[in-house]
Structure formats: structure tokens, C-alpha cells
Amino acid sequence: MPTIIDSASLDDERLRPFVDLIHSSPAKCARDSILIESEQAVTRAIQSGLVPTTLLCTPARCARLAPLLAGHPSTIFAISLETMRRITGFDIHRG
């Protein structure tokens, strides 16, 4: 199973890639990183063989995605929507 972190604070350095995404430029992202926003797209990516290094999601989505990552060294930050909004600068789970 992946490592699940359910109590990350806003100043946690491990969340740096997700900070203020709404104002980010492509240059801010690591060259080998992609950002996938929907649960369905993340599921399809995992099923296609892409293994995420880090996921930022709500606890409910974490519960659904974690089993797909069994045996992979991924980290999942399972945090509230409000904390996610404060970190990223926008409402990730809009629909």
C-alpha cells in the first residue's frame, strides 16, 4: 500500500509542488511531472501503468485510490477540501 498522510499542515515541505497551483507557470513543475485533476483520470493513468509519486486528495478519494496503488511507493495526502483549496489556490474537486 502507499504511504497515506492524513494530517499535513499548510507549511509541510512535501506539499510544495501543490502550493498555489492557480498561479503556477509550466516552469514551476518538474520536468517529469504531470498534473491530473479527476479521480477517473488518475484511475486510468494507474491502470495504464503510470504510477504517481504523490497524490493530493480527500479522504474519501484516498480510500478509493489507495488499493490501486498497492505495492507502489506512492504518497497520498488525504486532506480536507478546505485545506486543499488553501494549498492549491482553487477548488480542485469542482464536479
Side-chain angles (χ1 to χ4, degrees):
M1 290 299 274
T3 301
I4 298 173
I5 300 168
D6 60 3
S7 60
S9 66
L10 295 175
D11 60 350
D12 188 322
E13 284 296 314
R14 298 170 295 182
L15 294 172
R16 183 175 296 278
F18 300 103
V19 172
D20 202 23
L21 285 173
I22 197 165
H23 296 111
S24 293
S25 68
K28 178 184 174 186
C29 297
R31 294 185 73 128
D32 59 351
S33 294
I34 59 173
L35 177 67
I36 302 173
E37 187 175 338
S38 76
E39 180 179 346
Q40 182 180 20
V42 171
T43 299
R44 289 186 60 133
I46 294 167
Q47 291 170 340
S48 296
L50 294 173
V51 179
T53 55
T54 309
L55 294 174
L56 182 69
C57 57
T58 62
R61 292 184 196 278
C62 173
R64 292 190 297 266
L65 292 170
L68 298 176
L69 294 168
H72 296 290
S74 302
T75 300
I76 301 176
F77 288 94
I79 59 177
S80 71
L81 263 179
E82 181 55 34
T83 300
M84 197 178 308
R85 286 181 188 120
R86 292 179 65 199
I87 290 169
T88 64
F90 70 102
D91 185 3
I92 289 183
H93 297 302
R94 291 181 289 246

